[in-house]
Amino acid sequence: SIFTNFAHRILALAKASAKGISDKDIQNEIPDLRPDQRASIINKFLSKGYLDLFTQGGTLLYKLKDPTVAQKVKGADNEEKIVYSIIEEAGNKGIWIRDIRFKSNLIPTQLNKLLKILENKKLIKAVKSVSASKKKVYMLYNLEPDRSVTGGAWYCDQDFEAEFVDVLNQQCYRYLQQKLEATKDCKGGPIAARNISYASSKDVWKYISDLGISKVQLSVEDVETILDTLLYDGKVERTVATDGDHFYRAVESLLPAPGIVRLPCGVCPVLQNCSDVGSVNPKKCVYMKEWLE
């Protein structure tokens, strides 16, 4: 039947994509499938355990279940299945061992043993969270951790990449400054010049991608995060188009920065701890030394 044909096509689509498929992917690949038919087929697959459902970046994704995983869980005892289902329910944001213990009502030694068994079977994995470096969250082995867990592009092994962020900040601002400089040759009037000075976040993203300065794949949202830091610093201004796209332009400050801001003390992260005595003092200040050099 047509319904069965659609079902086979969706399964084939899920099998071809290791990262999972969204409703939009199904709609694009199978345009003749009605939304109600799609929902019916997906619900049937989920209830039979053919597909896993999880979210990534706010989008629902369907991923083909590994039959070997299903077999391993099937052969496990009830307590293993309970722990596995609790972790599965947490999705790609993971769950802390304390919450697993609360939901499963298992004693710590017993739970630790079950988690180790599931890890050895490669059914689950422990991932360090940037929000709490000493705590691990557990999730299914084949899931890609959510950005809230890994910190996204700005973190490497739970360490914030401050230098990387600074380089991106400088390059984004440089690009917008170049756009602003180009308006000096504009002969169409101030409004035309203003429009030319704006760049969309997608334009800035393409510029950064073409530079090849990032070792990780950056998204438009990542670049917008950097542009927002420039916005908060008063270096750029932002406007939103009718279609929701963000546009940015460099701005020239009408007033020079106050003297205290130009000094390292104005932006010092440990200013409150600075005194004549102790390890943080003006004589040993590395920020002041670098500034004077």
Side-chain angles (χ1 to χ4, degrees):
S1 67
I2 296 176
F3 191 83
T4 305
N5 179 44
F6 283 144
H8 283 305
R9 288 168 69 183
I10 290 175
L11 273 181
L13 195 62
K15 191 174 181 180
S17 177
K19 293 184 178 180
I21 56 173
S22 64
D23 286 320
K24 191 174 181 181
D25 294 330
I26 298 172
Q27 184 181 348
N28 291 339
E29 295 294 327
I30 315 173
D32 47 337
L33 176 65
R34 298 198 313 268
D36 60 314
Q37 292 175 320
R38 183 179 67 234
S40 178
I41 293 170
I42 291 295
N43 287 335
K44 189 174 181 181
F45 284 157
L46 289 171
S47 63
K48 288 195 172 185
Y50 294 155
L51 295 176
D52 273 328
L53 176 64
F54 61 98
T55 59
Q56 193 166 36
T59 304
L60 278 175
L61 294 177
Y62 313 106
K63 190 171 184 178
L64 196 66
K65 272 193 176 181
D66 187 346
T68 58
V69 171
Q71 191 62 36
K72 286 177 184 176
V73 177
K74 189 177 180 182
D77 59 33
N78 286 334
E79 288 172 344
E80 277 183 52
K81 288 177 182 176
I82 289 169
V83 174
Y84 179 86
S85 63
I86 290 170
I87 295 171
E88 183 180 29
E89 192 178 319
N92 62 344
K93 290 188 177 180
I95 183 170
W96 286 347
I97 189 169
R98 182 190 63 188
D99 296 328
I100 301 173
R101 189 166 65 241
F102 177 77
K103 289 188 176 184
S104 65
N105 208 22
L106 294 168
I107 59 173
T109 52
Q110 190 179 14
L111 178 57
N112 288 334
K113 183 181 177 182
L114 291 169
L115 289 171
K116 185 61 70 177
I117 290 170
L118 291 170
E119 281 189 272
N120 290 337
K121 288 182 177 180
K122 294 193 182 301
L123 293 175
I124 65 168
K125 62 183 175 183
V127 180
K128 286 185 179 179
S129 174
V130 294
S131 60
S133 58
K134 293 183 179 179
K135 292 182 180 179
K136 295 183 293 186
V137 294
Y138 290 89
M139 64 184 67
L140 296 190
Y141 187 80
N142 60 348
L143 290 184
E144 187 71 29
D146 188 80
R147 291 171 63 92
S148 61
V149 177
T150 63
W154 320 130
Y155 284 80
C156 180
D157 297 329
Q158 285 72 53
D159 292 327
F160 181 65
E161 295 287 319
E163 289 184 12
F164 175 50
V165 171
D166 285 342
V167 169
L168 287 177
N169 186 292
Q170 292 164 14
Q171 292 300 329
C172 288
Y173 186 51
R174 180 186 171 194
Y175 175 70
L176 293 175
Q177 278 186 312
Q178 289 172 352
K179 295 278 289 183
L180 187 64
E181 286 291 324
T183 62
K184 293 180 180 178
D185 299 325
C186 179
K187 298 178 181 177
I191 295 177
R194 182 182 174 84
N195 291 338
I196 291 171
S197 66
Y198 274 104
S200 70
S201 50
K202 291 176 183 176
D203 293 333
V204 184
W205 169 80
K206 187 178 185 308
Y207 172 76
I208 295 295
S209 299
D210 291 343
L211 282 178
I213 57 177
S214 175
K215 294 179 182 178
V216 295
Q217 185 74 35
L218 295 175
S219 65
V220 175
E221 289 74 21
D222 290 330
V223 173
E224 283 187 352
T225 303
I226 297 295
L227 290 167
D228 284 343
T229 64
L230 292 170
L231 179 69
Y232 303 143
D233 286 340
K235 293 181 177 180
V236 305
E237 64 180 16
R238 180 180 64 192
T239 186
V240 182
T242 52
D243 58 359
D245 285 345
H246 289 174
F247 287 82
Y248 300 81
R249 70 186 291 265
V251 292
E252 295 176 347
S253 178
L254 297 175
L255 295 172
I260 187 65
V261 173
R262 293 198 293 270
L263 285 169
C265 305
V267 289
C268 181
V270 290
L271 181 63
Q272 291 180 338
N273 301 325
C274 189
S275 65
D276 294 334
V277 294
S279 58
V280 182
N281 61 71
K283 290 181 180 179
K284 295 180 180 179
C285 180
V286 293
Y287 303 115
M288 186 66 75
K289 185 180 177 181
E290 289 176 2
W291 183 68
L292 289 171
E293 289 175 352

